[in-house]
Structure formats: C-alpha cells, structure tokens
Amino acid sequence: MNSIGIIANPASGKDIRRLVAHATVIDNNEKINIVERIILGAQQNGVDRVYMMPDPYNMGYRVEDKLKTSGELQCQIEVFDFYKEDTVEDTYKAVQLMNQKNAGCIVTLGGDGTNRAVAKDIGEIPMISISTGTNNVYPDMIEGTIAGIAAAVVASHKFDKNVYSNRDKIIEIYTDGQLRDIALIDAVISRDIFVGSRAIWRVEDIEKIFVARSHPASIGFSAVVGGKTIITEADDYGAYVSIDKDAPKIKIPMSAGIVLAIGTSEPVILNFNEKYTFTTYCRGTIALDGEREIEFHQNQDFTFKISRNGPWHVDVKKAIEVGQKNGFFKVL
C-alpha cells in the first residue's frame, strides 16, 4: 500500500504579522483546494491511502465530501480520530500516528512553525513543505498537484531518498545538558516576555539571532544574518549575530512590505558540534522559527548547536525528474 500523510494547519498565516505588515493570508477554503489537488495528483500516481490530521475546520472531511460528490475520489482518506486540543499538540499526535501507519511521505501546509512541529516527530519519513504565506523560509511555493505527484514518487519506495531529498540542518537548544527544543531556520533570544501573540517581530527587543541558513532574499530574522553572509542548506555550519543599535546598519526585509535598517555584529560561524552557551541576565523568551516557545528568567544557561539531525526534505522537482527518468509515469 502506498500512503501519504497531510498536515494542513488551519491557523497558519493568521498571526500578528498579518496586522502589522502586508503579508498574504491564505484562508482555509484555499487550503482545502490545495489539499484536493495534492490528493488528486497523488492518487493518479499510485497512492491509495491518505492520512490527515483532524482540525476544527474539518478540512479532511470537507475534502473527502467534495471529491466523493464529484466522483473523483479513488483512494481512501483517513482523518485521524483523536481528541483535538486545537494546539500544536494535534500536529505532534498526527505525525506520530503517520509514523505508526508507515506513511511514505508527509506533505505539510503551513509556515516555518508548522514545519518545525512536524520535524520534531517525523523521524525518517521524507517531507514536502508547501508555504501558505509570505513570511516563510523553510517551505516552498508549490502547486498542490505537483506536490501530490512528487509525494507519490516518494511513497512508492522505488527510489532511494538520498536521490531526491536532503537531510536538513537544525538548531538544537539545550538546558542542563538535555535537548530542550529545535529550530529549522532561526532561534532568536528576545528580552520581550511571552504576553499575547506567540509571533515575534519587535527587533528592538532582540539580543541574538542564531541561524541554520541565511540569505538576503529571505524575509524575517534569518535575513538579518543573510545581510552579512549567505549560508546555504548544503553548508555544514550555521552562525549567530548580536543585535547592536550602534553598529553600522543594513536594510533587511523583516516582513512582507517592511524593510528595516538594523545594526548587528559580524556573524560568528558555528560549525557542526560547536557549542555556544548564553547566560541570561533578565527575563525573556527564545523564539524558534518565528514563534516564542521558551520562557527564561535571570541566570539560566542555554546552549545552541547546529547539526544535520533534521528531517528529510524533498526536492519536488528532483523527485519528479527521478520518476520521469525511471519510467514511473509510463502508462502500461
């Protein structure tokens, strides 16, 4: 049986950055349309079962009803039946169940935060990430049909995943010698305490920015480092900078339609297994991939490390090229 999982986050693209910037909002009706196209592309290329996370908008059931009504549904759609908390815990549970079901590929619809949540429990399942906003670095803008076709190639298990995917870098955050959490793109130490929105966007409250990758063409905190140095997915290192209002400033795209002049130190490279320990001197939070996740108080030690212990990230075009070159799409 060839199966895929779909994690469609109904809350993605609706944070405070949509109010203070000019970011795109993709509503849940459009997410349903994208999921439909993923399933249609996948089922016509050998996928016979799709697992979906339950959500308060009932996207999985709505997709199933629409495709059954139109007569287009050929595969089985299974929406997991567990108690919904309407939090990130639902994502964790769904990914764990997809692992138990041996899903061949997981397709995500969401931003950097959604993909980070999936990455924490995805294990060895390759991931295809579809962006549902404009403030994202990790996921790509991919048409749903194409994502579904690529997911079918991956889920067929006919090709070695090293051919069409790469193991991603992550930022690991430790306290007391224990892994506390991870980030896929950036980890930001902020003096702002966790009140109200989880999204972080006030540059004046930031102390340090750690990145696994950086580029000036990105939007958000990784672009702050990218304004000084480019770090690609293939580089076996990351970096960090300190925000310094007295340092020479560079213009950075911090959010959609918002470019700020920001002063930073020169980037310090963090090679794999090299550690940086930060001792807090006040209250604050650590934001992971744009969302505040860890609260701290004075005199706590946090250690940051870059590793290649992240998820297998599928190159959609390469997966389809592999299928094409090996006759995967040939009609028998």
Side-chain angles (χ1 to χ4, degrees), residues 166-178:
N166 296 298
R167 192 113 206 185
D168 275 325
K169 294 183 285 185
I170 56 173
I171 305 167
E172 300 176 357
I173 300 96
Y174 293 82
T175 52
D176 300 322
Q178 300 295 315

Side-chain angles (χ1 to χ4, degrees), residues 85-320:
E85 299 190 37
D86 297 341
T87 68
V88 70
E89 294 298 325
D90 295 342
T91 299
Y92 298 152
K93 289 178 188 175
V95 175
Q96 290 164 6
L97 287 170
M98 289 172 187
N99 259 297
Q100 293 174 20
K101 299 282 190 178
N102 295 314
C105 180
I106 292 179
V107 183
T108 66
L109 279 73
D112 293 339
T114 300
N115 286 282
R116 170 185 159 273
V118 172
K120 292 174 71 169
D121 288 303
I122 197 169
E124 296 298 306
I125 302 176
M127 177 164 64
I128 293 174
S129 304
I130 300 177
S131 176
T132 55
T134 51
N135 277 37
N136 303 315
V137 177
Y138 188 83
D140 300 309
M141 299 298 291
I142 307 168
E143 205 287 317
T145 311
I146 302 304
I149 293 170
V153 173
V154 174
S156 72
H157 300 291
K158 292 182 177 180
F159 314 105
D160 192 307
K161 61 187 171 188
N162 286 288
V163 176
Y164 55 73
S165 62
N166 296 298
R167 192 113 206 185
D168 275 325
K169 294 183 285 185
I170 56 173
I171 305 167
E172 300 176 357
I173 300 96
Y174 293 82
T175 52
D176 300 322
Q178 300 295 315
L179 180 63
R180 177 71 178 271
D181 218 321
I182 67 166
L184 290 173
I185 301 297
D186 53 59
V188 176
I189 299 175
S190 171
R191 295 179 293 275
D192 195 11
I193 60 174
F194 188 0
V195 177
S197 170
R198 298 176 68 90
I200 183 170
W201 54 280
R202 285 169 53 89
V203 177
E204 56 266 33
D205 294 323
I206 293 171
E207 181 79 23
K208 290 185 183 296
I209 301 172
F210 296 81
V211 297
R213 64 173 94 160
S214 59
H215 198 282
S218 298
I219 287 182
F221 294 107
S222 65
V224 176
V225 182
K228 293 285 185 76
T229 185
I230 294 173
I231 302 174
T232 71
E233 301 95 312
D235 293 326
D236 289 338
Y237 56 84
Y240 69 88
V241 297
S242 300
I243 299 299
D244 182 356
K245 62 182 178 60
D246 296 321
K249 292 179 171 58
I250 51 176
K251 294 179 181 178
I252 300 296
M254 282 303 300
S255 192
I258 295 179
V259 177
L260 299 178
I262 299 174
T264 73
S265 66
E266 289 301 312
V268 178
I269 297 298
L270 272 180
N271 293 305
F272 282 178
N273 298 318
E274 190 175 352
K275 300 176 181 178
Y276 176 87
T277 298
F278 179 80
T279 301
T280 62
Y281 60 89
C282 63
R283 289 183 63 198
T285 53
I286 299 176
L288 306 175
D289 295 322
E291 297 182 350
R292 288 177 281 191
E293 297 288 348
I294 302 173
E295 295 184 71
F296 60 76
H297 51 77
Q298 192 173 4
N299 295 322
Q300 284 185 277
D301 289 335
F302 291 91
T303 298
F304 296 80
K305 186 175 77 170
I306 309 294
S307 72
R308 201 171 287 284
N309 294 328
W312 289 94
H313 194 173
V314 175
D315 182 323
V316 167
K317 285 187 177 180
K318 189 173 291 186
I320 293 176

